[in-house]
Amino acid sequence: MRRSPAVSTIQQHITQHAQTGSPRPTLDVDRSDAEYRTWLKEAVRKVQADANRSADTHLLRFPVPEQWGIDLYLKDESTHPTGSLKHRLARSLFLYGLCNGWIRPGRPVIEASSGSTAVSEAYFAKLIGVPFIAVMPRTTSAEKCRLIEFHGGRCHFVDDPRKMYEESAALAVETGGHYMDQFTYAERATDWRGNNNIAESIYRQLRLERYPEPAWIVATAGTGGTSATLARYVHYMQYDTRICVADPENSCFFEGWTTGEPDVTCDSGSRIEGIGRPRMEPSFVPGAIDRMMKVPDAASVAAVRALEHAIGRKAGGSTGTGLWGALKIVAEMVAEGRTGSVVTLLCDPGDRYLDKYYSDAWLTGQGLDITPYVTAIDSLLETGVWPG
Ligand SMILES: *Cc1c(COP(=O)(O)O)cnc(C)c1O
């Protein structure tokens, strides 16, 4: 066996001392660094203090006819300081990276992100005083890049979304920085057993409702981390709630989950920002998910527009994807005469997408006709019947 020079030196050292009969010295390498530890303590304190200053996000009601005996809720993640559910993820990833000794003073943090994660991570990087570089698809909305730069981050664009990962890893090597890798670490950096994660918060907020244990929670998947946390928490707490993931058109989570094939890929990037991936991301935990739906992009847009009619709030496309799935489940419950509650997420605010999901010109340019889906939602809310 070939040994590295360090190992053979150590071996020599041991053999020499064994021959002389004197007590073997204890091999001892101390790399503790007081200055770094002071920095680390401060950085962790700043991230924790940010959480401590924050209030919980609201659980909103989506109005449906009272006589159905069904309540539909949206966990409003758009009210975090950085405007999306990625604030939770960024906090967890920074704590994980700091506590693992991966994030170091003066070294950049690099992330592959379609936008929202980068916005939140830029915020935390600035908070602890390290540089931040976002590697993102060129199609990302201009508003998201503006937000990243607003928080002191830098945007690095790639033409092929599938190249985001290797480009990020290469940048980390080049700069001596840390590639955060949300797609790998989202599920494990998040405290799925509790610690006021999104699931624990939802159940606490449902406590005084008439159906405090939802029949279904409908999530969407970008990293897959949110759905993994929801599902693990539900199983851990022994609830009967089922977890559904609604997947947009250009994404392979649905196919990967239904076929059980972890290596599926798809070519074009998702039009629904924040969700839909060209590969089965490592943070997506298929075995924990009960059900998956493939939602047409036009249906996602119809649903976010219906949300504005219903509660006066605009949201991003992924909220529409989840809401479409939740409405479909509500329609099934109505048809079967079942009562209960359904929860989905309001993932980020609509003002980031005025030139996309709220623009009819964009819809036309994309060849998307939302009319049949708008009609379907109207029909459900008026008559309880879901066409098709
Ligand atoms: C990331 C993201 C999601 C999905 O969350 P994951 O935990 O990454 O699966 C949904 N909507 C938006 C806007 C997102 O940015």
Side-chain angles (χ1 to χ4, degrees), residues 29-49:
V29 181
D30 182 356
R31 288 187 178 145
S32 68
D33 174 344
E35 205 180 312
Y36 160 66
R37 285 295 286 271
T38 305
W39 178 88
L40 177 62
K41 264 166 55 174
E42 244 331 79
V44 171
R45 184 191 64 74
K46 284 173 179 163
V47 176
Q48 296 282 54

Side-chain angles (χ1 to χ4, degrees), residues 85-86 116 220-226 273-275 318 347-348:
L85 79 176
K86 291 302 188 326
S116 291
T220 50
T223 63
T226 302
E273 282 195 38
I275 62 168
S318 68
C347 304
D348 69 347

Side-chain angles (χ1 to χ4, degrees), residues 161-181:
R162 288 167 299 187
K163 295 273 156 63
M164 271 163 50
Y165 319 99
E166 42 188 290
E167 188 83 4
S168 304
L171 260 177
V173 171
E174 216 173 279
T175 59
H178 171 58
Y179 169 29
M180 201 71 121
D181 196 358

Side-chain angles (χ1 to χ4, degrees), residues 99-162:
C99 295
N100 284 336
W102 292 343
I103 298 173
R104 294 278 171 160
R107 304 282 185 92
V109 165
I110 292 137
E111 184 63 290
S113 168
S114 63
S116 291
T117 304
V119 174
S120 302
E121 287 179 348
Y123 169 91
F124 282 103
K126 188 178 189 182
L127 190 74
I128 66 166
V130 295
F132 180 75
I133 307 167
V135 179
M136 50 210 257
R138 207 171 289 282
T139 53
T140 307
S141 74
E143 177 60 11
K144 279 210 196 125
C145 187
R146 193 193 65 78
L147 286 169
I148 290 161
E149 286 169 353
F150 172 78
H151 290 300
R154 223 180 77 202
C155 301
H156 179 101
F157 292 107
V158 291
D159 291 310
D160 182 350
R162 288 167 299 187

